[in-house]
Amino acid sequence: MKNVAGKKVLITGAAMGLGKSFAERAVREQAADVVLWDINEQALKETAAELTALGGSRIHHYVVDVSDRDAITENGAAVREQVGDIDVLINNAGIVRGNGYFWETENRADIDKTMAINSLAPMYITLEFLPAMVKNTGEARVLNIASSAALVANPRMSVYAASKWAALGWSDSVRLELEQSGNEHVKFTTVCPTYINTGMFDGAKGFLFTPILEQDEVVNTSWEEMKKGAALVVLPWTSRLNRAISGLLPLKVRDFYLNSVGVYHSMDEFTGRK
């Protein structure tokens, strides 16, 4: 896929951060329709107005709580009726809650919310649009934003890590299903970045040779690799190294290494978006 010109693109968590940047990329490449899903109605309206002003694409925005399966079903049907089948789906919406040890969790609803948005929502949203992608013969893409937390366990983010491990396992499994069933016109790409400067991980620290990633770098790389149909994108190179080392070293040696380079202390001063 050289570009998304003439395609219908849907992005979750589209009102700000990575989602907004992905939407801007779609408009610049002259997507026919860009569909924005977000729970933040005010920010969503502002982003939709900005994208409309850029011209070249029809902009549609829907206020959707992706932790609500019924809301996903209702809005998925509305998109199919009002916009048509989606060609490019970007599952970007995500949250992180809490910064303590697991046993210090005070609000157990945070566990449910994290799993619902980070793990279940991509599955349910994809089910709204993937059947048509498979049935149609045109090139289609699904981009799932996971995290390096899906590759290496990390203290003080156990529920978030669990949600992203689930997202990665699901996404890569569906990729294989598409390949085995002969539906390779639909490509799944999973992106696993370290901390990004969107505000979501305020207070988190970079570690050895691994600074906080710039938003534009993550969006640009993810977007280009998605169009190529890459299976897995891990950012930056140190995360690829840590992943390889984690698979080779005995557990205690792995823990010693990751603790020494700072991975296991990267969430010590996490505050999150205020």
Side-chain angles (χ1 to χ4, degrees):
M1 184 182 288
K2 294 181 179 179
N3 53 56
V4 299
K7 300 286 188 181
K8 300 179 187 296
V9 181
L10 189 149
I11 304 155
T12 68
M16 62 183 68
L18 296 183
K20 182 178 180 179
S21 295
F22 281 126
E24 290 170 348
R25 289 296 298 265
V27 171
R28 290 196 185 101
E29 290 191 8
Q30 298 185 331
D33 297 88
V34 179
V35 182
L36 315 174
W37 280 17
D38 204 287
I39 195 172
N40 187 329
E41 183 173 7
Q42 183 59 39
L44 185 62
K45 288 180 178 179
E46 292 172 359
T47 295
E50 291 176 25
L51 295 174
T52 299
L54 294 176
S57 301
R58 293 180 291 269
I59 308 298
H60 316 262
H61 63 282
Y62 298 77
V63 178
V64 186
D65 178 358
V66 297
S67 70
D68 183 341
R69 185 167 58 176
D70 291 337
I72 291 172
T73 300
E74 293 168 8
N75 285 279
V79 169
R80 291 193 301 273
E81 179 181 348
Q82 297 164 11
V83 182
D85 293 336
I86 295 300
D87 304 298
V88 177
L89 171 61
I90 301 177
N91 284 310
N92 166 73
I95 63 166
V96 57
R97 296 279 179 87
N99 64 333
Y101 297 119
F102 180 71
W103 60 86
E104 296 173 339
T105 302
E106 295 180 357
N107 187 355
R108 298 191 179 191
D110 284 347
I111 298 175
D112 297 335
K113 198 72 153 180
T114 300
M115 298 303 293
I117 293 175
N118 295 354
S119 305
L120 297 178
M123 300 182 196
Y124 293 135
I125 293 166
T126 302
L127 270 179
E128 292 297 319
F129 305 107
L130 183 58
M133 291 181 179
V134 171
K135 182 178 179 180
N136 299 334
T137 57
E139 288 288 307
R141 297 286 185 269
V142 177
L143 175 63
N144 297 309
I145 305 300
S147 168
S148 288
L151 306 173
V152 176
N154 202 15
R156 297 178 181 269
M157 60 188 317
S158 57
V159 176
Y160 179 81
S163 71
K164 293 299 186 177
W165 282 46
L168 172 59
W170 161 76
S171 181
D172 211 35
S173 293
V174 180
R175 174 187 65 82
L176 291 170
E177 292 174 353
L178 290 165
E179 293 176 3
Q180 290 185 353
S181 62
N183 290 295
E184 294 188 80
H185 62 287
V186 185
K187 304 287 189 185
F188 263 53
T189 298
T190 315
V191 179
C192 294
T194 52
Y195 307 124
I196 311 170
N197 65 348
T198 60
M200 183 174 174
F201 276 96
D202 280 353
K205 298 182 295 185
F207 36 94
L208 185 65
F209 301 125
T210 309
I212 303 298
L213 294 173
E214 294 298 323
Q215 180 175 305
D216 287 346
E217 174 189 0
V218 175
V219 170
N220 291 340
T221 301
S222 301
W223 186 263
E224 294 304 320
E225 293 300 312
M226 173 198 73
K227 290 190 294 184
K228 293 176 186 176
L232 179 64
V233 180
V234 180
L235 298 169
W237 67 269
T238 47
S239 283
R240 296 193 291 274
L241 174 63
N242 290 340
R243 180 180 184 236
I245 288 175
S246 295
L248 293 172
L249 295 178
L251 192 62
K252 290 296 183 182
V253 179
R254 182 206 73 177
D255 285 350
F256 175 80
Y257 165 75
L258 292 177
N259 188 60
S260 299
V261 300
V263 174
Y264 285 174
H265 293 283
S266 60
M267 288 287 285
D268 287 356
E269 299 174 19
F270 168 78
T271 58
R273 181 180 284 119
K274 295 181 176 59

